[in-house]
Amino acid sequence: MFSLIQQMLQPDFYPHRVTEPVRLIQTHISFVLLTGDYTYKIKKPVNFGFLDYSTLEKRQHFCTQELLMNRRRAPEIYLEVLPIFQKGDRFYLGSSAASPTATEIPVEWTLKMREFPQDSLFTSLLERGELTAQLMEELGREVAQFHSTANSNEYIRSFGEVSQIRSAIDNNYQISVKYIGGLQTQAQYNATKQYTDSFFAENPELFASRIAHNKICECHGDLHLRNIALWQDKILLFDCIEFNEPFRFVDVMYDVAFAVMDLEFRGHKDLGNAFLNAYIEQTGDWEGLQLLPLYLSRQAYVRAKVNSLMLDESEIPDAQKQEISQTAASYYKLAWEYTKPRQGKLTLMSGLSGSGKSTAARYLARKTNAIHIRSDAVRKHLGGIPLNERGPADLYSAEMTAKTYNRLLELGILLAKKGWEVILDAKFDRQNMRANAIELARTQQLPLQIIYCTAPIAVLQERLEHRQGDIADATAELLSSQQAAFEHFTETEQIYVKIVDTDRDLELELKSIYAD
């Protein structure tokens, strides 16, 4: 294969114009050649157990699979699978339209893709400081849309069984054993594996629930930043897993965890938080967060394993292997850190519509990596109303309001008990609503605070009159009735309350809160 790659690095190999020099990107499983207008991917003849490209027939099959599956979210990129022939010591590209003759037998296969600028990758955007929280929120909604249309039949859902998930995770541990004492310590390995063993043993009903609620789909399987691009004003998800069904037929939280982990590994928890909260708000899958620590650890571990395997490749220079070793060790450490227990916390936002509750909550969530749950989203999910549509009058009945607050508290307590910091974003304008939350937090021994947002009434009115593109339906006409109905904090509640004037510098107002 070395001679083929050497020829593919030459411009005259291609039947089209080439931007010189042809660039080669190498992973542990592929050679990727960038020619200017087009990219060609050659799969390495390797067999790692979880991935088998060892025969020509398998490489052809998986090239075709990769083409079909990636056209789901990036049809602009994935073009065709082409045969490569050999005549003497020369290789040449064939056509996907022509059938090979008896004397023309392919010696290799390549996936042809439209080349897009490498600076459009999310990794590049991050390096340039252009990967904004707003863009990560858009990604969250894009991934939610992808999952909502992903195939999920009885066969696929069977991959959500504990035995299937455990097999894939245990395979990572088996492969990485030989790197203990070098890239990770024995103590890290033992603790990380013990966490997953315990998680599977203690949560069989949680995995069964995910199957029952169709949360096992044909997902992406490798959704880290290098596999996401912003090209021609569109977010593209590409290079999904085609070679292993257990890595692709997974819980939707498995996909989400990859992107979150990658951002946290790169030191941007705030962007991971923006993505995560946008995704779960769109899907309403807050219960899925119970599984997220498991998958965060798994995704960090698999990146450690992938980097470890690259160290065994003779063609990679020693200087590059030193950098790969450091990266692998960092991933192993992160996988272990995700298994550590965390203290959950409950925060109630309170205030009139337009008082800046959601803005303050969003800011706090990104500073503290908290789960931000908005009553507007909960209400619409309960009512079966799309988030971007205005709800009918009965969505705001007393009965639906009670259901909404009950659901908010149910989710808040559930997730806080699992170690999440949770921000419940609602008016919490009634004493009985706040009393319920305080009592539940007390009985579950969870820290609680109430953040009361306020601003001059004229400011609230102006904000509501100019509000656009938000899921909240409240209008300025409701302010008078809300003011009249708001029940002031009791003496018992006052010990939990922190007042934030959102008409002032929000960061300065909130600094003491997220610094606690």
Side-chain angles (χ1 to χ4, degrees):
M1 185 164 281
F2 176 77
S3 59
L4 168 61
I5 299 304
Q6 288 301 110
Q7 289 186 33
M8 292 184 76
L9 284 168
Q10 305 306 312
D12 60 4
F13 178 85
Y14 303 93
H16 54 73
R17 182 180 61 85
V18 169
T19 301
E20 298 187 47
V22 176
R23 290 184 295 148
L24 172 66
I25 297 175
Q26 186 174 176
T27 72
H28 68 299
I29 60 174
S30 300
F31 297 102
V32 181
L33 296 113
L34 292 80
T35 70
D37 291 333
Y38 303 104
T39 294
Y40 295 85
K41 178 186 282 189
I42 300 284
K43 298 186 183 299
K44 293 181 178 179
V46 294
N47 184 351
F48 294 129
F50 65 89
L51 171 152
D52 187 359
Y53 294 159
S54 58
T55 69
L56 180 63
E57 291 74 21
K58 288 178 179 178
R59 294 195 292 280
Q60 179 190 9
H61 169 73
F62 286 119
C63 277
T64 303
Q65 286 291 97
E66 183 173 357
L67 175 73
L68 295 176
M69 281 183 277
N70 282 286
R71 279 181 169 173
R72 292 178 297 172
R73 303 311 290 184
E76 301 90 341
I77 296 177
Y78 287 81
L79 301 178
E80 57 185 338
V81 174
L82 298 175
I84 296 176
F85 301 105
Q86 184 174 10
K87 185 175 292 185
D89 61 355
R90 299 297 300 171
F91 297 92
Y92 63 96
L93 276 173
S95 167
S96 60
S99 299
T101 67
T103 58
E104 276 190 316
I105 300 175
V107 296
E108 197 52 77
W109 294 86
T110 184
L111 176 60
K112 180 181 179 181
M113 297 175 284
R114 190 172 305 282
E115 187 172 323
F116 57 88
Q118 292 295 290
D119 62 9
S120 66
L121 293 173
F122 269 36
T123 45
S124 298
L125 296 179
L126 185 67
E127 289 168 2
R128 298 197 304 271
E130 296 173 8
L131 194 60
T132 63
Q134 181 180 358
L135 190 55
M136 293 311 302
E137 289 176 347
E138 291 177 20
L139 176 64
R141 292 186 284 270
E142 173 68 21
V143 175
Q145 171 62 22
F146 169 43
H147 287 162
S148 72
T149 58
N151 189 17
S152 179
N153 55 41
E154 185 174 348
Y155 173 68
I156 290 174
R157 287 194 294 274
S158 69
F159 284 81
E161 296 172 0
V162 168
S163 59
Q164 289 273 20
I165 304 170
R166 181 159 195 165
S167 175
I169 289 180
D170 285 350
N171 180 257
N172 291 330
Y173 291 128
Q174 293 163 10
I175 291 173
S176 66
V177 165
K178 66 179 181 176
Y179 303 109
I180 295 173
L183 302 177
Q184 69 171 325
T185 67
Q186 185 72 55
Q188 283 177 344
Y189 175 87
N190 291 345
T192 309
K193 189 174 185 304
Q194 178 58 44
Y195 171 82
T196 55
D197 290 345
S198 299
F199 198 102
F200 286 126
E202 296 167 5
N203 296 285
E205 71 293 338
L206 178 55
F207 292 99
S209 173
R210 302 300 287 174
I211 296 172
H213 290 91
N214 292 330
K215 298 302 182 182
I216 314 302
C217 303
E218 187 171 17
C219 294
H220 184 285
D222 200 21
L223 196 63
H224 52 80
L225 298 189
R226 285 199 63 83
N227 290 340
I228 308 169
L230 179 65
W231 188 45
Q232 298 178 342
D233 296 322
K234 181 180 178 182
I235 292 176
L236 299 176
L237 315 179
F238 66 96
D239 205 17
C240 71
I241 295 290
E242 90 288 345
F243 54 78
N244 188 305
E245 287 185 341
F247 292 0
R248 185 174 77 254
F249 297 163
V250 290
D251 194 300
V252 293
M253 279 296 157
Y254 177 107
D255 260 5
V256 170
F258 235 136
V260 172
M261 181 280 299
D262 199 14
L263 284 158
E264 294 189 348
F265 179 78
R266 297 170 188 273
H268 290 274
K269 280 190 176 183
D270 57 332
L271 296 179
N273 183 268
F275 163 74
L276 176 61
N277 276 311
Y279 175 88
I280 56 175
E281 179 172 280
Q282 191 68 33
T283 62
D285 188 19
W286 290 285
E287 282 90 352
L289 292 168
Q290 298 173 88
L291 283 162
L292 193 62
L294 172 72
Y295 288 130
L296 286 170
S297 179
R298 187 272 175 195
Q299 308 308 30
Y301 205 95
V302 80
R303 294 307 301 167
K305 176 196 73 175
V306 166
N307 279 274
S308 300
L309 290 170
M310 291 180 71
L311 298 174
D312 299 334
E313 298 187 26
S314 57
E315 60 265 39
I316 296 179
D318 289 341
Q320 187 178 348
K321 284 186 177 182
Q322 180 62 33
E323 182 180 348
I324 292 171
S325 295
Q326 294 172 355
T327 301
S330 297
Y331 275 122
Y332 282 124
K333 185 170 185 265
L334 181 61
W336 165 63
E337 288 174 344
Y338 279 131
T339 69
K340 295 179 180 179
R342 300 176 299 173
Q343 172 62 60
K345 180 179 179 180
L346 199 61
T347 295
L348 309 184
M349 304 303 295
S350 181
L352 305 179
S353 295
S355 62
K357 298 186 301 297
S358 294
T359 301
R362 192 177 298 115
Y363 181 91
L364 279 174
R366 291 171 190 170
K367 288 291 185 181
T368 63
N369 204 22
I371 301 304
H372 176 199
I373 309 179
R374 301 175 67 187
S375 62
D376 303 286
V378 170
R379 188 185 296 268
K380 288 186 175 179
H381 280 297
L382 286 173
I385 306 296
L387 296 190
N388 59 348
E389 289 186 12
R390 188 169 186 80
D394 60 1
L395 190 66
Y396 297 90
S397 66
E399 180 183 5
M400 183 56 80
T401 295
K403 287 182 180 179
T404 299
Y405 276 84
N406 288 338
R407 173 72 170 152
L408 269 176
L409 287 177
E410 175 190 17
L411 290 170
I413 296 298
L414 172 71
L415 297 177
K417 284 171 60 179
K418 295 292 184 179
W420 291 98
E421 290 196 28
V422 185
I423 301 173
L424 301 183
D425 180 2
K427 292 198 303 292
F428 278 102
D429 54 349
R430 306 299 171 90
Q431 291 173 2
N432 67 311
M433 294 173 177
R434 301 190 294 262
N436 288 341
I438 292 170
E439 178 59 21
L440 284 169
R442 186 189 65 79
T443 57
Q444 298 295 331
Q445 297 182 314
L446 294 169
L448 178 137
Q449 64 180 350
I450 301 172
I451 299 177
Y452 176 62
C453 293
T454 184
I457 196 68
V459 172
L460 271 57
Q461 186 164 354
E462 182 180 8
R463 288 173 180 171
L464 292 174
E465 288 173 349
H466 292 88
R467 177 185 278 172
Q468 290 182 336
D470 190 78
I471 66 172
D473 293 338
T475 63
E477 290 74 24
L478 297 173
L479 283 175
S480 295
S481 60
Q482 288 185 6
Q483 273 187 302
F486 198 100
E487 296 176 0
H488 294 288
F489 299 106
T490 65
E491 186 175 343
T492 302
E493 293 174 315
Q494 289 288 350
I495 60 172
Y496 301 103
V497 177
K498 297 181 180 180
I499 300 174
V500 172
D501 184 348
T502 61
D503 195 36
R504 298 169 61 182
D505 185 314
L506 188 60
E507 181 174 7
L508 189 61
E509 287 283 298
L510 294 172
K511 190 172 183 180
S512 64
I513 295 173
Y514 68 76
D516 288 346

